[in-house]
Amino acid sequence: MPAPSSARLTIDLDALAQNYAVLRDLAPGAEPAPVVKADGYGLGAVPVARRLWTEGARAFFVARLSEGEALRAGLGPERPATIHVLDGFTPGTGPRLTAANLTPVLSSLAQIESASTFAGPVAIQVDTGMNRQGLTGAEARDLAATLPPGLRVETIMSHLGSATDPADPRSAAQLDAFASVRPLFPHARASFAASAGIALGHVYHFDLVRPGISLYGGGPEERPDARLKSVATYEAPILYLRQVEAGEMIGYGSKTIVETDSRIAVVAAGYADGLIRCAMGRSQAWFAGALRKVLIITMDLIAIEIGDAQANPGDMVELLGPHVLLDDLAAAAGTVAHECLVRLGGRAERVYLGQR
Ligand SMILES: *Cc1c(COP(=O)(O)O)cnc(C)c1O
């Protein structure tokens, strides 16, 4: 019997490239600037960005300064991409932004003030209704009238708060607000849409779109989208097989009682590997050609019901991938696809397909 291997996170960069092409074609005329924050949503910002560079991407977004520095080093001098840092400019970060040639996204008057002597290009974010970050419309108008002469505003941007629901009228209201601010910065490129906004249609696209989750296979409406390929596959090996009788418990707290005699497989993955515990009883795993119920999720182990399937310790079980779709897993966990992805991979062996 082969010794059980460890959990494996397979990242299919060919699928990523196909999703990139789908999103690019959904927003013709706009430049796609992939969002690779949080280490490329947990899948590896450098391999992801290098492959997307090969596909034609020339601008990227990260959240933190340190992510920008790591991405600059990983892309190397032969791939001189524009790297935007969403955290913007905080006092003292100027030399590091300059050294790594990063473009801060300035999202408050205080940041613009701090950056007034910053020589590199910047992006400016305006708030159009999300109330998270960005200048108010009035602040943007004042700024446009009194722009520090040295400040090179390359991009003006905003972010949608409810684009995953195409019927939500707030998106159109945000669009109106953005369209009224945009002419104040006539020389800047405009960027408004993330994955969900791209799916809302042409009027949301402007010059630069910022796809994140849909590059990695998450549907723009928080449900599986047949146009997008699954990029991440997470598999873990079976450690033990057991028979549990009707009425017996599995795991802690006697919360999971099997109703009928059941054959279960105990698999070497748990919430310490990034599975979300509250999905237990609702999420599914793929094994031996069928979806199987995930009965319990503990720190290092889960148990799945396998019926009469042929199984041996060491057999791999798919916990996310082409059969266990990211959006279905997120729904079972009561969260968004983004959170499911960024948690995975800590203890898993990583395998990249299609690396360039
Ligand atoms: C994270 C983020 C994105 C990407 O969003 P997705 O939903 O993953 O496509 C785009 N823009 C901003 C400002 C973000 O914070």
Side-chain angles (χ1 to χ4, degrees), residues 85 88-89 104-108 111-112 115 122-126 134-135 151:
V85 176
F89 192 103
V105 178
L106 309 178
S107 296
S108 69
Q111 287 202 338
I112 290 164
V122 301
I124 287 181
Q125 175 150 229
V126 293
L135 307 191
L151 204 64

Side-chain angles (χ1 to χ4, degrees), residues 292-305:
R292 317 283 176 175
K293 190 173 179 191
V294 176
L295 298 168
I296 60 163
I297 300 177
T298 61
M299 191 160 171
D300 311 303
L301 299 170
I302 64 170
I304 64 171
E305 236 277 53

Side-chain angles (χ1 to χ4, degrees), residues 35 37 41 86 125 132 157 159 194-195 210-213 338:
V35 179
K37 60 192 178 188
Y41 290 46
L86 290 166
Q125 175 150 229
R132 187 177 67 167
M157 60 179 268
H159 195 43
S195 300
R210 307 188 304 271
I213 194 66
H338 309 60

Side-chain angles (χ1 to χ4, degrees), residues 33-37 41 61-63 86 105 125 130 132-133 157-160 164 191-198 209-216 338:
V35 179
V36 296
K37 60 192 178 188
Y41 290 46
F61 282 84
V62 296
L86 290 166
V105 178
Q125 175 150 229
M130 202 178 163
R132 187 177 67 167
Q133 64 202 141
M157 60 179 268
S158 188
H159 195 43
L160 286 157
T164 54
S191 176
F192 192 46
S195 300
I198 292 172
V209 291
R210 307 188 304 271
I213 194 66
S214 289
L215 286 170
Y216 310 106
H338 309 60

